[in-house]
Structure formats: structure tokens, C-alpha cells
């Protein structure tokens, strides 16, 4: 049985992902993977290169994006409120989904950009056909609300996703990278999945190809956040 990565950031997750597409897919071949997804942050710059390189190697490419979700409307841009955003993984399951994903990514920049290219529930509802939804990492709305002690709101958001995408197109995503918050929230996510009859998918939040590449991704984060490697309080991947 082979594993399929459904949450993966390439070099096109700018100053965040450290996976060069060609090297990434060569490694996937080495590991005997038959399918692999691309879910860069907020954008789809790398999709064509990824698709072609995967096809050249006999790997089925799953086209996706980890979009940024606005806390309110995508048009709201008030400092201290709207610079806080969530994450949501969207995967295209057909041509219609691919077109909708491109549209959502574009709207994030042209209408919702405020620190990040954001979309909201309204535009998701209008362009949800052909898309599969995963609840994303710790920054996803559902896990974030659970960690904040807001179980009812987390359930409400999950049910909203089901209403938008359809019962069969929503998955609760769980990850375990040795991060304390993930181990805290995973039992809550599993409980919510059972309560709402929602399937679970286990993912890795891939940002680099091999363990030794972590140091290079750490440098990218420093550049992104304007920090030095020796800064004690900087953002880092625990």
C-alpha cells in the first residue's frame, strides 16, 4: 500500500516551501508513490510545472491549493482583525473543480488581498463544484476553534463546509509532527468526525523533501519574517 501526500508545499509557496518540483517528484518515484498533490499557499503558480513533471514520471498529479480564509468578508480589511486568517485545503477532483480553484485563487488576490490572498464563505459557496475540502493544519478554522475551546463554533464551521461542498467532499484532516498542539487537537478532531459522520484523512504538512532539508526551510522562514536564525522568539517549525 502506498501513501499519497495531499498537503504539500512546493517552492511556489514563496519563502515557505522548499520542495523543488523536479527533485520532489524524483523522490516520489524512489518511494514508489503513484499519486501526489500540490497545495501551495494561496496561489497556483507551480501547477503546470508540477502537472507536467508528474505525468512525465507516471505519477498522477492532484491539483490543489491551501487557501487563506477571511475571518469575516474578503472585502473587510481592518487592522487587528482582518490580518488574522485561517487555512483550508481544496483539491480539484475534475475539470470544473480545477476552473473553480483557479477562480478562487485569483479572487483571493484581486478582491481579498490583505496581508494574504483571502477568500470567504460566500465566494466558496458560489464556486465549490468539483472541489474536495480538507480542514487543513493547526491554522485551519476547525482545529483552531477546537483549540480555543469553541467546539460548537468548530462544529458549525464543519457543517457549513459540508453544506457548501457536499457531504461526500469534506474530510477532517489530522497531522502529527510531534507538535504539542497537534497532539492536543487530534483527539478532538476525531471526536468531531465521529459526531458528524465525517471521514478522516491523515496528512503530512510537507515543506521540504528530506529531513536534512529542514535547515534550508528554516532560512526561508527567517527571510519571510525578517528574523535571524539566532532569534529566540522567531517563528519556526517545531
Amino acid at each position: 500500500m502506498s501513501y499519497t501526500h495531499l498537503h504539500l508545499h512546493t517552492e511556489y509557496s514563496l519563502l515557505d516551501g522548499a520542495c523543488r518540483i523536479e527533485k520532489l517528484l524524483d523522490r516520489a518515484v524512489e518511494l514508489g508513490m503513484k499519486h501526489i498533490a500540490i497545495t501551495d499557499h494561496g496561489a497556483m503558480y507551480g501547477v503546470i510545472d508540477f502537472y507536467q513533471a508528474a505525468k512525465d514520471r507516471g505519477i498522477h498529479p492532484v491539483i490543489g491549493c491551501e487557501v487563506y480564509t477571511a475571518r469575516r468578508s474578503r472585502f473587510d480589511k481592518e487592522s487587528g482583525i482582518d490580518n488574522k486568517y485561517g487555512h483550508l485545503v481544496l483539491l480539484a477532483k475534475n475539470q470544473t473543480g480545477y476552473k473553480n480553484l483557479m477562480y478562487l485563487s485569483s479572487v483571493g488576490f484581486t478582491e481579498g488581498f490583505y496581508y494574504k490572498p483571502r477568500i470567504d464563505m460566500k465566494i466558496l459557496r458560489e464556486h465549490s463544484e468539483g472541489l474536495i475540502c480538507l480542514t487543513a493544519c493547526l491554522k485551519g478554522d476547525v482545529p483552531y476553534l477546537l483549540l480555543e475551546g469553541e467546539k460548537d463554533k468548530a462544529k458549525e464551521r464543519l457543517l457549513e463546509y459540508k453544506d457548501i461542498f457536499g457531504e461526500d467532499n469534506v474530510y477532517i484532516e489530522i497531522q502529527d509532527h510531534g507538535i504539542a498542539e497537534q497532539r492536543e487537537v487530534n483527539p478532538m478532531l476525531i471526536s468531531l468526525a465521529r459526531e458528524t459522520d465525517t471521514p478522516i484523512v491523515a496528512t503530512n504538512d510537507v515543506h521540504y523533501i528530506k529531513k536534512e532539508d529542514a535547515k534550508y526551510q528554516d532560512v526561508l522562514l527567517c527571510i519571510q519574517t525578517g528574523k535571524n536564525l539566532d532569534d529566540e522568539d522567531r517563528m519556526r517549525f517545531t
Side-chain angles (χ1 to χ4, degrees), residues 138-168:
L138 288 170
K139 284 281 193 174
D141 289 344
V142 171
Y144 173 81
L145 287 167
L146 287 174
L147 284 171
E148 290 293 303
E150 300 279 3
K151 181 185 174 183
D152 289 343
K153 288 184 179 180
K155 181 179 178 180
E156 182 181 327
R157 179 49 59 94
L158 178 63
L159 294 178
E160 185 176 11
Y161 289 151
K162 288 191 168 196
D163 187 52
I164 290 172
F165 295 100
E167 285 280 340
D168 297 333

Side-chain angles (χ1 to χ4, degrees), residues 138 143-150 174-191:
L138 288 170
Y144 173 81
L145 287 167
L146 287 174
L147 284 171
E148 290 293 303
E150 300 279 3
I174 59 172
Q175 302 176 338
D176 186 356
H177 303 92
I179 299 172
E181 290 86 352
Q182 287 177 334
R183 291 180 175 172
E184 179 183 352
V185 79
N186 281 347
M188 292 187 276
L189 286 168
I190 292 168
S191 176

Side-chain angles (χ1 to χ4, degrees), residues 86-228:
H87 292 195
L88 189 68
V89 173
L90 300 177
L91 305 173
K93 64 177 184 178
N94 52 36
Q95 187 71 9
T96 299
Y98 176 59
K99 289 179 179 179
N100 276 325
L101 196 58
M102 286 193 293
Y103 183 83
L104 290 168
S105 175
S106 297
V107 164
F109 283 97
T110 59
E111 296 180 354
F113 195 91
Y114 188 63
Y115 291 85
K116 299 290 185 181
R118 308 165 307 144
I119 59 175
D120 56 24
M121 294 302 108
K122 182 177 184 298
I123 199 70
L124 270 177
R125 189 174 293 278
E126 293 169 358
H127 295 273
S128 61
E129 186 180 354
L131 291 174
I132 291 171
C133 164
L134 314 183
T135 55
C137 56
L138 288 170
K139 284 281 193 174
D141 289 344
V142 171
Y144 173 81
L145 287 167
L146 287 174
L147 284 171
E148 290 293 303
E150 300 279 3
K151 181 185 174 183
D152 289 343
K153 288 184 179 180
K155 181 179 178 180
E156 182 181 327
R157 179 49 59 94
L158 178 63
L159 294 178
E160 185 176 11
Y161 289 151
K162 288 191 168 196
D163 187 52
I164 290 172
F165 295 100
E167 285 280 340
D168 297 333
N169 296 316
V170 177
Y171 293 79
I172 283 182
E173 187 173 351
I174 59 172
Q175 302 176 338
D176 186 356
H177 303 92
I179 299 172
E181 290 86 352
Q182 287 177 334
R183 291 180 175 172
E184 179 183 352
V185 79
N186 281 347
M188 292 187 276
L189 286 168
I190 292 168
S191 176
L192 182 61
R194 290 171 177 165
E195 183 180 337
T196 58
D197 195 26
T198 306
I200 295 171
V201 60
T203 70
N204 282 342
D205 197 352
V206 180
H207 284 73
Y208 47 88
I209 300 170
K210 294 186 177 181
K211 185 175 182 178
E212 53 267 29
D213 297 335
K215 58 187 176 184
Y216 304 118
Q217 198 267 342
D218 203 26
V219 171
L220 290 178
L221 277 184
C222 284
I223 297 170
Q224 179 193 152
T225 56
K227 301 291 185 179
N228 294 318

Side-chain angles (χ1 to χ4, degrees), residues 20 28-29 36 54 62-63 69 71 77-78 80-81 90 125 134 143 149 158 168 190 205 222 233:
R20 296 284 190 184
V29 170
I36 193 167
V62 179
I63 305 303
T69 55
R71 287 283 183 248
K77 298 173 184 180
E78 183 179 341
I81 299 175
L90 300 177
R125 189 174 293 278
L134 314 183
L158 178 63
D168 297 333
I190 292 168
D205 197 352
C222 284
D233 297 327

